[in-house]
Amino acid sequence: MKIYFVRHGESEANLLREISNRGLRHGLTEKGRRQAFALAQNLRGVSPDRIYTSPLLRALQTAEILSRELGVPYEVRDALREFDCGVMEGRSDEQAWLMHRQVREAWIVQKEVDRRIEGGESLLDIRARFEPFIENLLQLSGQTDKTLVLVGHGGLFQVMLPIIMVNLGLDTLPDRPLVNTGYVLAEARPAGLVCLEWFG
C-alpha cells in the first residue's frame, strides 16, 4: 500500500495568517482551488482507491475537488484535523504565532510531549487520534497494492509523520517547506511505513 499525505490548497486563513483549526471556516482561495485541480491531474497516473480528509473546510474542499476529478470517494476523519490551538484560535497576531511556534518547538526539540496552548491539544492528544487511524489503515490494506490519499494539514503532518515512519524522526525532519497541495509519499513495508518522498 502507498499513502499520499497531502496538505490542503491555499486557504483564506493562509492569506489572513489566522490560526483557524476549528469548524467550517476559511475555505480555499481561487489559487487553492487551482492547486487542487493541478494535484488531481498529477494523481491521475497513480489511480488512488480512496481519499480520506480532515473535517476542516480547506481540507474538505481540496478533497471534494480530488474526489470529483479522480472519480474516487472520500471519507471525513477527525484524525486528520489540524491540531487545536485553544485560546489562540481565531488570532492572527505575532504573539499568537510565537506561542504556536514555541509549543511545536517544545514537542520537537525539548520532547515536552504534554505541552499545549491553554485549551488546545498536546502532542500526546494528537497521537491518540492520529496513530490508531493509521494503524487501522495498515491493518486493513497494508499488504495490498492500494493507494490512498489523506488530505490534512502542515502542522499535523510535520509532527506526526516523522513519528509514524520508520526511516524518519522528529530530530531528522527533512528541511523542506510543507507547501499547499504538496505531499509526502509513504509505502507500507514489513518493517513499517517508509517515507519515499517528503514534499518534493
Side-chain angles (χ1 to χ4, degrees):
M1 177 180 71
K2 289 185 177 179
I3 302 177
Y4 286 80
F5 293 91
V6 173
R7 188 184 176 202
H8 59 81
E10 181 188 78
S11 74
E12 296 163 358
N14 292 146
L15 297 187
L16 295 169
R17 285 196 47 77
E18 183 174 322
I19 298 173
S20 178
N21 300 340
R22 293 178 180 170
L24 294 173
R25 300 177 62 227
H26 297 126
L28 295 179
T29 62
E30 183 55 40
K31 179 180 178 181
R33 285 187 283 275
R34 290 197 305 270
Q35 289 172 332
F37 278 110
L39 176 62
Q41 301 310 309
N42 291 339
L43 291 177
R44 283 192 189 282
V46 303
S47 302
D49 296 280
R50 185 164 294 276
I51 299 166
Y52 294 93
T53 181
S54 157
L56 299 183
L57 185 57
R58 54 196 183 270
L60 268 175
Q61 291 178 338
T62 302
E64 287 168 355
I65 292 170
L66 296 178
S67 175
R68 187 169 57 248
E69 293 297 306
L70 297 171
V72 177
Y74 74 89
E75 298 179 27
V76 178
R77 290 290 185 270
D78 191 63
L80 295 170
R81 175 176 46 81
E82 183 62 290
F83 67 86
D84 193 288
C85 291
V87 297
M88 296 301 165
E89 288 289 338
R91 289 177 54 174
S92 58
D93 57 283
E94 187 53 41
Q95 182 62 34
W97 283 108
L98 176 61
M99 179 69 71
H100 187 277
R101 288 192 297 273
Q102 287 174 339
V103 167
R104 287 201 316 183
E105 183 176 298
W107 294 343
I108 294 169
V109 179
Q110 283 88 37
K111 313 302 183 192
E112 296 176 13
V113 295
D114 57 350
R115 180 92 168 264
R116 71 182 73 227
I117 296 171
E118 181 185 345
E121 290 182 291
S122 69
L123 188 64
L124 292 176
D125 295 328
I126 304 167
R127 289 185 74 166
R129 61 178 164 87
F130 188 80
E131 284 188 299
F133 170 65
I134 299 299
E135 289 167 3
N136 186 57
L137 291 181
L138 292 173
Q139 289 174 359
L140 292 175
S141 304
Q143 301 307 310
T144 71
D145 60 358
K146 286 187 176 181
T147 298
L148 306 178
V149 174
L150 276 55
V151 182
H153 305 270
L156 173 77
F157 290 155
Q158 187 177 41
V159 296
M160 282 290 104
L161 298 189
I163 290 173
I164 65 168
M165 295 190 190
V166 296
N167 60 332
L168 289 180
L170 286 173
D171 54 344
T172 59
L173 196 64
D175 185 21
R176 293 278 184 159
L178 281 64
V179 297
N180 293 112
T181 62
Y183 62 81
V184 173
L185 174 58
E187 183 175 56
R189 296 181 180 173
L193 201 57
V194 175
C195 179
L196 303 180
E197 184 177 340
W198 181 276
F199 287 85

